[in-house]
């Protein structure tokens, strides 16, 4: 295993390019199960989760080639409809093959994803949607076993906004006879990216990005040719916060400003200076005095839960008290114990964290627990006095492409060592 070492308090300055979005490329890769062709996808980030999804597709029989951001998925030889526990347990997003496998084989056996550090991750809405479309679904021996004699489009009303739940139903409904209308659909940009890719395969999807998505089923889908994955808005947001620390001055290129409204608004309220150059470049300058603000996580376009841990770092060094409320994953506070080890003043009250700003946090050995918490610990190391060692950074490598190298390129004193 590896750890990341950071000498903190360095003012960062320069430009960083954002990679392709993890949470967009994973469902698009799963969508390739729906056709029998050679799919080519570009701007694919080199992440552990992408490599896990490649392994999963190869387990099903696909042939994959990945190099330098270009991914080829030949799905003509997919023969299996079973997604094994060994792979699913390492990546919850494996549940995204459930819908496509039922669509392709009229049956599927996908291991239940199980919980993770940010909380119990139920898939009852995914199952509800599959049953409404005509599948019979059983949960046994830790697996979801689904089968369907006939799949028929109809209305699928979700009880809550679920990103991968919306994506799973969009995937299977694309090739379901008839029209499917998803009510209370997730509006995240990654859902839109998947819909764009499916439509390029020949699907007929309208309304992606709103809470009502209409899918008119088609008999078959063609292969994807050279689809470019959207930029990762969570990586962009993480880098924006790096720019707001230590009075840094960072330009984040290759992002989409329209995906970053909630975060930008909150960052401005803390006193950071933000300037957009066109739609795909944002410059952030950190303020000498960081103002405390309250924020709550919400489904898109609200403040993203995937940015909660990172924004908390800024609040640890702000000039007052900040109340951070986590409405999506109420237990998503594993990072607070590690931040307290650095001298942060954080109290958990239900699904909120009350943060009192301190003058400084001190570098210390800390341990990553999940993907976004690990990013927040790296940010903490950047603004901590002295040396910080972040262990278990395999969590970070699941969702960030060479984050340490990118930060080093703009002046951070950061490197990797074997644990
Ligand atoms: C997606 O997870 C993202 N992952 C997550 O990013 C992100 O945090 C999350 O959406 C929220 O934006 C991918 O896209 C691969 P949900 P997902 O279903 O789809 C509850 C990261 O760091 N729920 O939108 O699993 C659920 O418990 C990851 O990149 C049910 O109750 O999240 C949660 O409280 C972490 N039943 C809420 O809905 C269900 O059937 C939202 O979850 C499904 C979800």
């Amino acid at each position: 295993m590896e750890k990341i070492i950071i000498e903190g308090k360095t003012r960062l300055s320069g430009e960083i390019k954002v990679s392709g979005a993890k949470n967009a490329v994973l469902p698009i890769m799963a969508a390739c199960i729906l056709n029998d062709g050679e799919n080519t996808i570009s701007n694919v980030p080199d992440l552990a989760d992408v490599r896990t999804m490649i392994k999963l597709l190869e387990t099903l029989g696909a042939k994959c080639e990945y190099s330098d951001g270009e991914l080829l998925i030949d799905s003509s030889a997919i023969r299996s409809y079973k997604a094994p526990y060994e792979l699913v347990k390492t990546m919850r997003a494996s549940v995204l093959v459930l819908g496509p496998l039922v669509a392709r084989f009229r049956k599927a056996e996908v291991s239940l994803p199980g919980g993770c550090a940010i909380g119990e991750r139920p898939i009852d809405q995914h199952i509800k949607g599959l049953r409404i479309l005509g599948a019979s679904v059983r949960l046994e021996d830790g697996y979801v076993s689904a089968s369907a004699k006939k799949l028929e489009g109809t209305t699928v009303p979700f009880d809550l906004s679920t990103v991968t739940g919306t994506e799973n139903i969009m995937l299977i409904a694309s090739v379901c006879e008839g029209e499917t209308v998803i009510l209370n659909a997730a509006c995240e940009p990654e859902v839109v990216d998947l819909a764009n890719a499916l439509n390029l395969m020949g699907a007929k999807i309208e309304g992606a990005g709103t809470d009502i998505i209409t899918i008119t089923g088609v008999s078959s889908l063609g292969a994807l040719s050279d689809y470019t994955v959207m930029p990762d808005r969570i990586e962009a947001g993480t880098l924006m916060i790096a720019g707001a620390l230590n009075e840094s001055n960072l330009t984040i290129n290759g992002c989409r400003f329209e995906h970053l409204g909630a975060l930008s608004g909150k960052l401005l309220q803390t006193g950071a200076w933000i300037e957009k150059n066109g739609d795909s470049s944002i410059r952030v300058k950190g303020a000498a005095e960081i103002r405390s603000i309250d924020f709550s996580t919400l489904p898109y376009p609200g403040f993203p839960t995937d940015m909660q841990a990172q924004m908390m770092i800024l609040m640890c060094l702000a000039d007052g008290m900040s109340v951070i409320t986590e409405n999506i994953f109420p237990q998503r506070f594993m990072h607070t114990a590690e931040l307290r080890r650095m001298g942060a003043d954080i109290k958990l009250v239900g699904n909120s964290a009350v943060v009192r700003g301190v003058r400084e946090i001190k570098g210390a050995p800390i341990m990553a627990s999940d993907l976004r918490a690990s990013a927040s610990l790296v940010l903490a190391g950047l603004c901590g006095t002295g040396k910080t060692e972040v262990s278990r950074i395999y969590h970070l490598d699941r969702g960030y492409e060479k984050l340490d190298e990118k930060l080093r390129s703009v002046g951070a004193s950061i490197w990797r060592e074997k644990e």
Side-chain angles (χ1 to χ4, degrees):
M1 285 207 272
E2 290 183 310
K3 61 185 174 184
I4 280 184
I5 322 285
I6 305 154
E7 287 289 349
K9 307 296 281 178
T10 315
R11 179 173 297 177
L12 306 184
S13 168
E15 308 200 9
I16 297 182
K17 185 165 180 323
V18 170
S19 300
K22 168 179 86 81
N23 290 347
V25 71
L26 294 175
I28 291 170
M29 290 169 73
C32 299
I33 294 171
L34 294 172
N35 65 51
D36 268 328
E38 284 205 351
N39 301 273
T40 52
I41 310 169
S42 51
N43 198 32
V44 175
D46 189 356
L47 304 171
D49 274 10
V50 167
R51 294 189 178 274
T52 300
M53 185 59 92
I54 286 173
K55 259 194 238 137
L56 178 51
L57 291 173
E58 288 173 340
T59 305
L60 299 173
K63 289 187 181 44
C64 300
E65 282 163 35
Y66 175 65
S67 77
D68 199 20
E70 302 297 319
L71 174 62
L72 178 140
I73 299 172
D74 178 347
S75 43
S76 57
I78 290 181
R79 289 283 173 277
S80 166
Y81 55 82
K82 292 190 177 180
Y85 175 67
E86 297 65 46
L87 281 171
V88 174
K89 71 178 177 189
T90 63
M91 182 182 68
R92 270 191 38 71
S94 310
V95 72
L96 285 163
V97 303
L98 180 59
L101 288 175
V102 176
R104 184 178 179 122
F105 294 107
R106 291 292 185 273
K107 55 184 165 188
E109 278 186 32
V110 175
S111 168
L112 269 170
C116 66
I118 65 177
E120 201 243 327
R121 307 287 294 274
I123 59 167
D124 56 292
Q125 298 296 306
H126 300 238
I127 292 168
K128 170 181 175 174
L130 287 173
R131 283 176 172 154
I132 290 173
L133 292 175
S136 69
V137 184
R138 294 188 320 282
L139 302 183
E140 54 196 13
D141 309 329
Y143 274 74
V144 181
S145 294
S147 61
K149 287 192 183 54
K150 186 170 169 32
L151 291 167
E152 206 149 347
T154 181
T155 300
V156 177
F158 279 131
D159 301 323
L160 46 82
S161 169
T162 160
V163 175
T164 50
T166 299
E167 292 167 344
N168 238 330
I169 299 309
M170 252 171 56
L171 285 159
I172 186 169
S174 298
V175 289
C176 254
E177 205 177 304
E179 180 179 85
T180 297
V181 179
I182 302 175
L183 301 178
N184 201 6
C187 305
E188 271 69 5
E190 293 77 17
V191 173
V192 177
D193 217 32
L194 173 62
N196 292 341
L198 282 167
N199 284 339
L200 283 176
M201 290 183 184
K204 291 189 173 58
I205 300 172
E206 291 170 19
T210 75
D211 61 343
I212 298 179
I213 300 179
T214 303
I215 303 114
T216 308
V218 294
S219 54
S220 66
L221 291 177
L224 204 50
S225 62
D226 197 21
Y227 187 78
T228 302
V229 176
M230 65 173 264
D232 194 314
R233 62 189 171 97
I234 304 301
E235 183 195 13
T238 305
L239 294 169
M240 287 172 73
I241 293 190
L245 293 167
N246 304 329
E247 295 183 71
S248 296
N249 179 347
L250 280 188
T251 297
I252 294 109
N253 293 322
C255 59
R256 287 218 195 123
F257 187 74
E258 85 245 26
H259 293 162
L260 294 154
L263 173 67
S264 301
K266 284 296 176 185
L267 264 182
L268 282 169
Q269 290 170 48
T270 68
W273 179 88
I274 296 180
E275 174 190 62
K276 78 182 188 97
N277 314 325
D279 276 343
S280 61
S281 175
I282 298 176
R283 190 164 154 222
V284 178
K285 279 166 73 174
E289 285 298 313
I290 299 168
R291 283 199 296 271
S292 296
I293 56 156
D294 299 340
F295 66 94
S296 301
T297 64
L298 288 167
Y300 191 87
F303 191 94
T305 175
D306 291 350
M307 286 303 306
Q308 179 257 106
Q310 299 91 309
M311 189 68 167
M312 184 184 281
I313 306 306
L314 210 56
M315 294 300 97
C316 289
L317 292 168
D319 62 358
M321 187 175 87
S322 154
V323 178
I324 299 172
T325 302
E326 175 54 69
N327 292 312
I328 310 295
F329 296 111
Q331 299 163 40
R332 195 174 199 170
F333 289 119
M334 296 285 283
H335 41 290
T336 56
E338 300 304 305
L339 297 174
R340 274 194 220 99
R341 288 173 45 74
M342 298 177 76
D345 181 345
I346 308 169
K347 283 180 185 49
L348 296 183
V349 182
N351 66 327
S352 293
V354 179
V355 182
R356 282 188 176 76
V358 292
R359 291 307 303 161
E360 75 167 348
I361 56 175
K362 289 195 175 58
I366 49 183
M367 188 165 71
S369 54
D370 59 271
L371 168 54
R372 304 304 171 184
S374 55
S376 78
L377 299 185
V378 169
L379 293 175
L382 290 177
C383 54
T385 312
K387 188 162 99 168
T388 296
E389 292 195 3
V390 184
S391 61
R392 299 192 181 181
I393 52 142
Y394 58 86
H395 289 290
L396 185 77
D397 295 333
R398 284 193 45 205
Y400 287 90
E401 188 176 35
K402 304 187 178 76
L403 182 65
D404 46 328
E405 287 178 27
K406 292 184 179 181
L407 291 170
R408 192 162 51 240
S409 74
V410 289
S413 174
I414 181 171
W415 64 95
R416 275 176 195 246
E417 284 179 9
K418 285 264 173 279
E419 275 215 64

